[in-house]
Amino acid sequence: MKKVNQLCEWRPCYYFCNMTTAVIEAMATGLAVIATTHSGFPDQVIPGKNGYLANEADPEDFADKMLAYIEQPQLWASMSREARKLALQKYDRKPLIDRQHNLYKEIAPNVKKVAFIVGVFPAISEVWFINQVADLLDRGLDVRIYTLRLGSEENISERYFSYKMKERTTSLEMPLSWTKRIVFAIPKFLHVLFRNPALLPALLDSKKYGENARSLKLLFRAEPLMGLDADLVHCHFGTVANKFLAIRDVLGLTQPFLTSRYGLDVSSVVEEKGVAYYDDLKKAGM
């Protein structure tokens, strides 16, 4: 209680939080950061340099780290400078997109066209993704977005509109109502029938693909990706990549692909679904 009282009486010039994005934002403004060893924080916070790391789920240690910062005002200025410096070096858009583009070229040396597979797009909470698409377009890449669910355009970043991202987006969403589902499935079924009829048994193979085939979800997700014209496929979030595996398998897609995993992927998803959840993804080298 003594530690809590001390902290409550003090107006901080540091930041403590539980979101990795918030840490980056804090560092960019020159704030030292106090976080736990959870998730990606150890990659962002260098103890004694730009903040402190406390043991996860240990409020006493967290309080100790906060007091350690408060009691060493001679370090505040240097920690502030280091926080800002690290944010610009590692998390500014330009170096991040440069590293991403270089990674693409390592995986697919002549990469010109990239297909993004995402969960929801557009999403007001994911301005970083809109910036990523725009910055890759600025570098001359042709980016196409395939979303499992269409989001709302309300309050979306202006770059979404100025770069005409709606025209680059294809929905893989399936109607919840069975009546609408059947109606919308008919043209997709006919498209597959006339273009590649050999695919139909696989798309409806409930023995192999289970509920995804029985519900027609696989048809809705795979039909727009037939003959995918891309040099590389980039899935955002491990959960999305897991869903893409069935699409890739049934269509026989051969493009190199990669997955960006985020905090959710390595925390609550694993806790809920178990450590084996990504086994197929790991075998695919994604």
Side-chain angles (χ1 to χ4, degrees):
M1 181 59 71
K2 181 180 177 182
K3 291 178 184 177
V4 173
N5 289 337
Q6 284 180 267
L7 294 170
C8 289
E9 292 169 1
W10 200 78
R11 188 183 295 272
C13 62
Y14 61 90
Y15 189 82
F16 59 94
C17 62
N18 62 358
M19 289 183 64
T20 53
T21 303
V23 168
I24 296 168
E25 293 169 346
M27 288 164 51
T29 63
L31 287 176
V33 175
I34 298 170
T36 70
T37 53
H38 178 74
S39 189
F41 296 141
D43 293 327
Q44 299 171 308
V45 180
I46 304 172
K49 264 306 228 191
N50 66 327
Y52 291 103
L53 286 172
N55 297 326
E56 188 171 0
D58 187 342
E60 284 293 316
D61 190 44
F62 204 106
D64 285 339
K65 295 301 190 294
M66 293 166 72
L67 288 170
Y69 177 83
I70 293 170
E71 293 165 357
Q72 299 181 81
Q74 71 277 11
L75 298 179
W76 295 353
S78 64
M79 281 193 173
S80 175
R81 287 193 297 271
E82 286 296 324
R84 172 78 175 161
K85 178 181 174 183
L86 186 62
L88 293 177
Q89 286 178 344
K90 292 186 67 175
Y91 302 108
D92 186 64
R93 269 178 32 212
K94 186 179 185 307
L96 278 176
I97 210 68
D98 284 345
R99 288 200 294 270
Q100 183 171 333
H101 193 188
N102 288 334
L103 177 60
Y104 285 175
K105 287 186 282 189
E106 286 181 25
I107 298 172
N110 299 313
V111 61
K112 298 292 183 185
K113 300 178 180 180
V114 177
F116 279 148
I117 314 293
V118 299
V120 181
F121 185 77
I124 192 172
S125 61
E126 296 180 0
V127 177
W128 56 268
F129 180 72
I130 291 174
N131 285 333
Q132 188 176 127
V133 173
D135 290 343
L136 289 171
L137 290 171
D138 285 343
R139 283 159 174 75
L141 292 182
D142 181 6
V143 180
R144 301 289 162 174
I145 304 151
Y146 296 87
T147 180
L148 300 180
R149 182 162 61 86
L150 282 174
S152 169
E153 293 183 336
E154 188 176 358
N155 299 318
I156 290 296
S157 165
E158 181 56 35
R159 292 188 101 192
Y160 170 83
F161 300 101
S162 61
Y163 281 78
K164 300 180 179 178
M165 293 185 194
K166 182 176 183 178
E167 298 174 12
R168 296 181 170 275
T169 302
T170 299
S171 172
L172 309 180
E173 191 168 7
M174 177 186 73
L176 294 178
S177 160
W178 262 104
T179 302
K180 287 185 178 180
R181 193 180 307 178
I182 295 297
V183 170
F184 282 97
I186 292 172
K188 293 182 179 294
F189 184 90
L190 292 174
H191 180 216
V192 177
L193 179 64
F194 285 107
R195 185 166 178 179
N196 190 351
L199 280 179
L200 284 175
L203 288 170
L204 303 175
D205 186 354
S206 59
K207 185 175 181 180
K208 183 174 184 179
Y209 299 111
E211 184 60 25
N212 282 334
R214 282 192 298 273
S215 66
L216 302 181
K217 190 177 290 183
L218 190 55
L219 173 65
F220 275 86
R221 289 177 176 173
E223 181 267 340
L225 287 163
M226 289 174 58
L228 179 65
D229 184 19
D231 302 311
L232 181 144
V233 176
H234 186 168
C235 295
H236 284 272
F237 289 95
T239 50
V240 171
N242 257 8
K243 294 178 175 69
F244 175 68
L245 285 179
I247 300 170
R248 182 174 181 261
D249 181 55
V250 76
L251 294 180
L253 299 177
T254 58
Q255 291 92 343
F257 61 99
L258 61 100
T259 302
S260 287
R261 293 181 178 85
Y262 301 89
L264 187 73
D265 291 316
V266 296
S267 55
S268 59
V269 171
V270 174
E271 290 175 5
E272 178 186 345
K273 301 182 181 294
V275 294
Y277 180 68
Y278 294 118
D279 282 357
D280 290 339
L281 202 54
K282 287 185 284 186
K283 289 175 186 175
M286 211 168 168

